[in-house]
Amino acid sequence: MRIGDAAAAAGTTARALRLYEQRGLLPPPARTASGQREYGPEDVALVRVIRELLALGLTIGDLRTRADRLPLLTRDPAPACGSGTGDGGFAPVVDRRIAALDAELARLRRQREELARRTGRPPLPRAE
């Protein structure tokens, strides 16, 4: 399928597919005799995985460090990320992102508590 059809099937744009290819997240696609990109179902599945991971807060830079492993995540079921840092898996990238999210949540909680204190609003009840 051509780039527009592949983009539509993956829920994105042709521009995004070109960007993913340029940044090394997608391998260069096959080309027609006239030079147009051709994508298959496996490419569409890979673009869907990339979009899901980006939506979860990972960056293109994060994904680029593990671009060779992205196709593994298109399997059903996807393999676990692993827990070691030397396995070449996604665990180190995911662990860093979760730590950043935890830090941001803590910062937002402190900010909310300070705003409530300064304005005389009740604090949020603690979740148990």
Side-chain angles (χ1 to χ4, degrees), residues 106-127:
R107 185 192 67 79
L108 289 170
R109 273 190 219 97
R110 287 190 306 271
Q111 183 178 7
R112 196 259 182 234
E113 289 168 3
E114 179 63 15
L115 179 61
R117 188 187 66 74
R118 286 184 175 225
T119 59
R121 305 279 302 193
L124 282 177
R126 292 285 176 186

Side-chain angles (χ1 to χ4, degrees), residues 16-113:
L17 267 62
R18 287 190 290 273
L19 174 71
Y20 299 158
E21 179 187 345
Q22 180 185 34
R23 299 292 171 88
L25 303 182
L26 277 178
R31 299 274 182 155
T32 65
S34 62
Q36 293 181 326
R37 291 171 170 90
E38 283 193 318
Y39 295 91
E42 64 284 346
D43 298 309
V44 172
L46 182 55
V47 171
R48 287 182 180 144
V49 165
I50 292 167
R51 289 181 45 78
E52 288 171 9
L53 294 172
L54 292 173
L56 289 171
L58 295 177
T59 66
I60 287 177
D62 291 334
L63 298 183
R64 187 168 43 202
T65 66
R66 302 295 193 270
D68 61 322
R69 311 225 359 129
L70 288 171
L72 298 174
L73 299 177
T74 64
R75 295 181 183 164
D76 188 22
C81 288
S83 58
T85 57
D87 67 356
F90 283 88
V93 173
V94 170
D95 290 346
R96 282 192 303 273
R97 183 61 185 145
I98 288 173
L101 288 170
D102 288 343
E104 180 66 7
L105 286 169
R107 185 192 67 79
L108 289 170
R109 273 190 219 97
R110 287 190 306 271
Q111 183 178 7
R112 196 259 182 234
E113 289 168 3

